[in-house]
Amino acid sequence: MFHIFCPYCQEYREEEEFHPSGQAHLVRPADPASVSDDEWGDYLFFRDNPRGIHHEMWVHRLGCRKFFNITRDTASYEILETYRMGEQPSITAANAEVRREQGVQTADGGWQTVGARPENSRLNEETPS
Protein backbone atom coordinates (compact mmCIF):
# COMPACT_ATOMS: atom_id res chain seq x y z
CA MET A 1 0.00 0.00 0.00
CA PHE A 2 1.17 3.51 -0.80
CA HIS A 3 1.28 6.17 1.87
CA ILE A 4 1.13 9.48 0.03
CA PHE A 5 2.06 12.89 1.42
CA CYS A 6 -0.60 15.52 0.65
CA PRO A 7 1.15 18.89 0.22
CA TYR A 8 -2.03 20.71 1.28
CA CYS A 9 -2.99 18.64 4.35
CA GLN A 10 0.72 18.31 5.26
CA GLU A 11 0.37 14.65 6.27
CA TYR A 12 0.75 11.11 4.96
CA ARG A 13 -2.46 9.27 4.14
CA GLU A 14 -3.28 5.86 2.70
CA GLU A 15 -3.52 5.56 -1.07
CA GLU A 16 -7.26 4.76 -0.95
CA GLU A 17 -7.86 8.45 -0.19
CA PHE A 18 -6.26 9.51 -3.47
CA HIS A 19 -7.00 9.09 -7.15
CA PRO A 20 -4.58 9.49 -10.08
CA SER A 21 -5.73 11.99 -12.68
CA GLY A 22 -3.21 11.62 -15.47
CA GLN A 23 -0.07 13.33 -16.63
CA ALA A 24 0.91 16.60 -14.94
CA HIS A 25 1.94 19.87 -16.55
CA LEU A 26 -0.19 19.59 -19.70
CA VAL A 27 -0.95 22.97 -21.24
CA ARG A 28 -4.40 23.37 -22.76
CA PRO A 29 -4.36 25.09 -26.15
CA ALA A 30 -4.96 28.83 -25.68
CA ASP A 31 -7.49 28.98 -28.53
CA PRO A 32 -9.09 25.55 -28.97
CA ALA A 33 -11.15 26.76 -31.96
CA SER A 34 -7.98 27.41 -33.97
CA VAL A 35 -6.42 24.00 -33.22
CA SER A 36 -6.72 21.26 -35.82
CA ASP A 37 -8.63 18.08 -35.05
CA ASP A 38 -5.35 16.12 -34.97
CA GLU A 39 -3.74 18.56 -32.54
CA TRP A 40 -6.85 18.57 -30.34
CA GLY A 41 -6.95 14.76 -30.38
CA ASP A 42 -3.27 14.65 -29.39
CA TYR A 43 -3.96 16.98 -26.46
CA LEU A 44 -6.99 15.01 -25.27
CA PHE A 45 -5.86 11.42 -25.72
CA PHE A 46 -2.11 11.00 -26.03
CA ARG A 47 0.07 11.00 -22.93
CA ASP A 48 3.68 10.21 -22.17
CA ASN A 49 4.31 6.79 -20.67
CA PRO A 50 8.01 6.80 -19.80
CA ARG A 51 9.99 4.21 -17.93
CA GLY A 52 11.53 6.18 -15.09
CA ILE A 53 10.75 9.64 -13.74
CA HIS A 54 7.23 10.82 -14.52
CA HIS A 55 5.10 13.71 -13.23
CA GLU A 56 1.48 12.87 -12.45
CA MET A 57 -1.54 14.79 -11.25
CA TRP A 58 -3.47 13.28 -8.32
CA VAL A 59 -6.45 14.39 -6.24
CA HIS A 60 -6.94 13.87 -2.50
CA ARG A 61 -10.54 12.80 -3.07
CA LEU A 62 -11.36 11.71 0.49
CA GLY A 63 -9.39 14.46 2.20
CA CYS A 64 -9.01 18.09 1.17
CA ARG A 65 -10.24 17.31 -2.38
CA LYS A 66 -7.42 19.33 -3.90
CA PHE A 67 -5.33 18.41 -6.91
CA PHE A 68 -1.55 18.16 -6.57
CA ASN A 69 1.37 16.66 -8.47
CA ILE A 70 3.56 13.66 -7.76
CA THR A 71 6.99 12.86 -9.16
CA ARG A 72 7.15 9.08 -9.41
CA ASP A 73 9.61 6.55 -10.79
CA THR A 74 7.45 4.27 -12.94
CA ALA A 75 10.10 1.52 -12.94
CA SER A 76 10.27 1.17 -9.14
CA TYR A 77 6.97 2.81 -8.11
CA GLU A 78 8.91 5.16 -5.81
CA ILE A 79 7.17 8.43 -5.04
CA LEU A 80 10.03 10.90 -5.06
CA GLU A 81 8.11 14.07 -4.17
CA THR A 82 4.70 15.69 -4.01
CA TYR A 83 4.08 19.36 -4.72
CA ARG A 84 1.19 21.78 -5.09
CA MET A 85 -0.46 22.74 -8.35
CA GLY A 86 1.32 25.63 -10.02
CA GLU A 87 4.69 24.65 -8.56
CA GLN A 88 7.48 23.07 -10.57
CA PRO A 89 9.06 19.73 -9.64
CA SER A 90 12.47 19.78 -7.99
CA ILE A 91 13.21 16.27 -9.29
CA THR A 92 13.24 15.62 -13.03
CA ALA A 93 14.56 12.81 -15.20
CA ALA A 94 17.67 14.93 -15.83
CA ASN A 95 18.56 15.50 -12.16
CA ALA A 96 17.05 12.52 -10.25
CA GLU A 97 20.30 10.59 -9.82
CA VAL A 98 22.23 13.73 -8.86
CA ARG A 99 19.62 14.54 -6.18
CA ARG A 100 19.88 11.02 -4.72
CA GLU A 101 23.67 11.38 -4.53
CA GLN A 102 23.26 14.73 -2.72
CA GLY A 103 21.28 12.99 -0.01
CA VAL A 104 17.75 13.97 -0.97
CA GLN A 105 15.54 11.45 0.78
CA THR A 106 13.57 9.17 -1.51
CA ALA A 107 11.51 6.09 -0.77
CA ASP A 108 13.42 2.93 0.01
CA GLY A 109 12.96 -0.50 1.49
CA GLY A 110 9.58 -1.09 -0.10
CA TRP A 111 7.91 2.02 1.31
CA GLN A 112 6.37 4.23 -1.32
CA THR A 113 6.64 7.56 0.44
CA VAL A 114 9.28 10.05 1.37
CA GLY A 115 9.82 9.90 5.10
CA ALA A 116 7.17 7.29 5.96
CA ARG A 117 8.18 4.71 8.52
CA PRO A 118 6.44 1.46 9.41
CA GLU A 119 4.90 1.12 12.84
CA ASN A 120 6.84 -2.11 13.20
CA SER A 121 10.11 -2.81 11.36
CA ARG A 122 8.98 -6.38 10.72
CA LEU A 123 6.22 -5.01 8.45
CA ASN A 124 8.91 -4.07 5.95
CA GLU A 125 10.65 -7.45 5.91
CA GLU A 126 10.07 -9.87 3.09
CA THR A 127 8.43 -13.12 4.05
CA PRO A 128 9.54 -16.43 2.55
CA SER A 129 7.08 -17.93 0.09
Side-chain angles (χ1 to χ4, degrees), residues 62-113:
L62 297 179
C64 63
R65 296 187 178 136
K66 293 184 179 179
F67 285 87
F68 63 96
N69 294 319
I70 287 180
T71 302
R72 187 172 68 86
D73 186 330
T74 61
S76 67
Y77 295 104
E78 284 182 301
I79 295 176
L80 303 173
E81 68 178 337
T82 62
Y83 53 100
R84 294 175 180 216
M85 296 299 289
E87 295 178 355
Q88 293 300 312
S90 63
I91 300 173
T92 63
N95 72 9
E97 195 58 40
V98 171
R99 294 199 40 93
R100 283 190 185 115
E101 290 171 4
Q102 292 173 343
V104 173
Q105 185 181 17
T106 58
D108 61 351
W111 286 89
Q112 301 301 317
T113 58

Side-chain angles (χ1 to χ4, degrees), residues 3 108-113 115-125:
H3 285 89
D108 61 351
W111 286 89
Q112 301 301 317
T113 58
R117 297 288 176 250
E119 294 174 12
N120 182 331
S121 62
R122 289 182 298 153
L123 294 174
N124 207 24
E125 295 174 5

Side-chain angles (χ1 to χ4, degrees), residues 29 34-44:
S34 67
V35 176
S36 73
D37 288 344
D38 288 339
E39 291 171 324
W40 189 246
D42 287 346
Y43 167 74
L44 290 175

Side-chain angles (χ1 to χ4, degrees), residues 20-68:
S21 298
Q23 184 176 340
H25 307 292
L26 294 176
V27 179
R28 183 182 174 96
D31 184 15
S34 67
V35 176
S36 73
D37 288 344
D38 288 339
E39 291 171 324
W40 189 246
D42 287 346
Y43 167 74
L44 290 175
F45 302 112
F46 292 99
R47 300 291 182 255
D48 294 337
N49 188 19
R51 178 176 172 85
I53 303 300
H54 186 58
H55 305 287
E56 302 168 343
M57 184 171 51
W58 286 61
V59 62
H60 193 177
R61 65 184 171 96
L62 297 179
C64 63
R65 296 187 178 136
K66 293 184 179 179
F67 285 87
F68 63 96

